[in-house]
Amino acid sequence: MIAAAMQRALAALAGVSIALTCWGQVPTYPSKPIRFIVPLAPGGGADTFARFLARPMSQSLGQQIIVENRPGGSGMIGGEYVVRSAPDGYTLLVGGTGQLVASITQRKLDMERDYTPIALAMDQPYLLVVHPSLPVKNVGELIRFVRARPGEVIYASAGMGTAGHIAMELLRSAMGVEMIHVPYKGAGAALADVVAGQVPIIFSSPLGTVPLVRAGRLRPLAVSSKQRMTTLPEVPTVSESGVQGFYTSAFLGLLGPPGVPREIVSRLSPEVMRIIERPESREWLQRQGAEPAPGTPEQLAERIRTDLEQFRKLLRDTNLKLN
């Protein structure tokens, strides 16, 4: 009788143990939809890339990936939203150089400290384009045109202190001309006004710009990379166009808030890299004027570190004013 009572007690304890174990189990990641936060308005390079990445990644992860635009503050509003999110892998940032530059100029976030690097994805130059009505066909003609109208010619950017703004200011300084900056709340809005002829010039991401060039709605003058783009081989580099030594490029990757567990990073990073390494992905990126650059979390962290050093030095050496 005592033995029977002990058996019943042990069975009860085993049941409690099993229940507690089941209660404490962590669901397999991902177990619900993931959000890609794009810190800029729809229509720009980061937005285009986020939507491109979301489709195959949602299929391989078995969960829907929702692309959500949170523009404003030169990318800081969307960036801060991700930083303040739970580090559970369900709110991620598609960003890169734009957030890096804004972290320097606005001093609100630390790109190295406030994000969890997940994967490096792509590298892209900037494409200098003008409205077809502007009577210039190359950088030399642009320089002469602007010099004849000091302080009158305007150019657009995705926002004050964005990577495109800094790239254009550096180019303006290298060309030795005066221009007026018109900041927008995202690359999509800026490009729309350039296409409409409201603003004649922009130095923009090829991801949102190349389709407009191919449609004849914008005229390309030069590309900021060291070599010409595969997709627009007829467009010279800025350096080839007479501004010797000029070179700048941007990166995009996937980042999370601080403290994302290593097991979640290890689940996401290979997926991003696998998708970027696909031949069809390489072809798509190159058609858009970008280059695939799949990289580990460690490689993304190193790119952030080295680019931060370069941009800080650049801003010090040029005394560039961003407000």
Side-chain angles (χ1 to χ4, degrees):
M1 189 169 180
I2 293 173
M6 288 182 65
Q7 286 179 344
R8 287 194 296 271
L10 289 171
L13 286 171
V16 170
S17 176
I18 291 170
L20 288 172
T21 300
C22 293
W23 180 264
Q25 280 181 346
V26 178
T28 301
Y29 176 86
S31 61
K32 62 180 182 180
I34 297 168
R35 286 187 300 165
F36 279 180
I37 303 300
V38 177
L40 296 168
D47 179 67
T48 302
F49 176 72
R51 296 177 192 281
F52 167 78
L53 180 64
R55 287 189 294 272
M57 200 163 169
S58 64
Q59 293 172 356
S60 61
L61 291 175
Q63 288 291 340
Q64 183 183 10
I65 295 179
I66 302 163
V67 177
E68 183 177 323
N69 297 86
R70 286 183 173 260
S74 301
M76 283 293 98
I77 289 177
E80 288 179 329
Y81 178 80
V82 171
V83 167
R84 294 194 181 104
S85 299
D88 55 9
Y90 292 103
T91 304
L92 305 171
L93 180 76
V94 176
T97 301
Q99 284 62 57
L100 185 145
V101 172
S103 72
I104 297 171
T105 58
Q106 299 189 31
R107 298 181 176 89
K108 289 184 178 179
L109 294 175
D110 186 313
M111 194 75 175
E112 290 184 280
R113 181 195 65 211
D114 293 330
Y115 294 99
T116 298
I118 294 173
L120 183 61
M122 52 160 282
D123 192 84
Q124 59 181 342
Y126 299 95
L127 188 61
L128 179 64
V129 294
V130 300
H131 188 267
S133 65
L134 199 71
V136 301
K137 294 183 178 179
N138 54 56
V139 171
E141 290 182 2
L142 177 65
I143 293 172
R144 290 191 291 273
F145 180 85
V146 177
R147 279 181 180 164
R149 299 161 182 81
E152 296 179 16
V153 181
I154 60 177
Y155 75 89
S157 83
M160 184 69 74
T162 57
H165 173 209
I166 286 188
M168 188 65 196
E169 279 296 298
L170 292 171
L171 178 60
R172 182 197 61 74
S173 177
M175 292 190 302
V177 297
E178 293 297 325
M179 299 173 70
I180 298 172
H181 176 220
V182 179
Y184 284 77
K185 292 184 178 179
L191 280 169
D193 265 13
V194 177
V195 168
Q198 300 298 316
V199 183
I201 305 165
I202 190 170
F203 213 2
S204 186
S205 159
L207 276 175
T209 311
V210 167
L212 297 170
V213 168
R214 285 186 169 144
R217 303 178 74 184
L218 293 174
R219 177 185 298 141
L221 301 187
V223 61
S224 72
S225 50
K226 292 180 179 178
Q227 290 85 31
R228 298 189 182 198
M229 291 191 301
T230 304
T231 187
L232 295 173
E234 71 280 8
V235 179
T237 67
V238 173
S239 186
E240 285 178 314
S241 301
V243 188
Q244 294 184 3
F246 185 91
Y247 161 72
T248 184
S249 71
F251 72 89
L252 276 177
L254 193 65
L255 304 104
V260 176
R262 185 68 194 181
E263 56 267 26
I264 292 178
V265 173
S266 297
R267 178 76 174 94
L268 292 169
S269 181
E271 290 293 338
V272 176
M273 294 172 64
R274 183 182 58 80
I275 291 168
I276 298 301
E277 286 167 348
R278 291 176 176 177
E280 58 267 34
S281 297
R282 175 178 292 274
E283 182 182 344
W284 182 85
L285 285 167
Q286 290 180 336
R287 280 203 313 268
Q288 308 303 316
E291 288 294 330
T296 63
E298 292 76 21
Q299 288 171 318
L300 175 54
E302 178 62 16
R303 176 67 187 263
I304 290 170
R305 187 190 66 78
T306 56
D307 278 18
L308 275 171
E309 289 180 358
Q310 290 172 356
F311 271 106
R312 285 176 179 140
K313 183 178 186 301
L314 211 55
L315 292 173
R316 280 196 312 271
D317 293 350
T318 59
N319 196 30
L320 183 61
K321 304 298 182 185
L322 297 174
N323 46 47

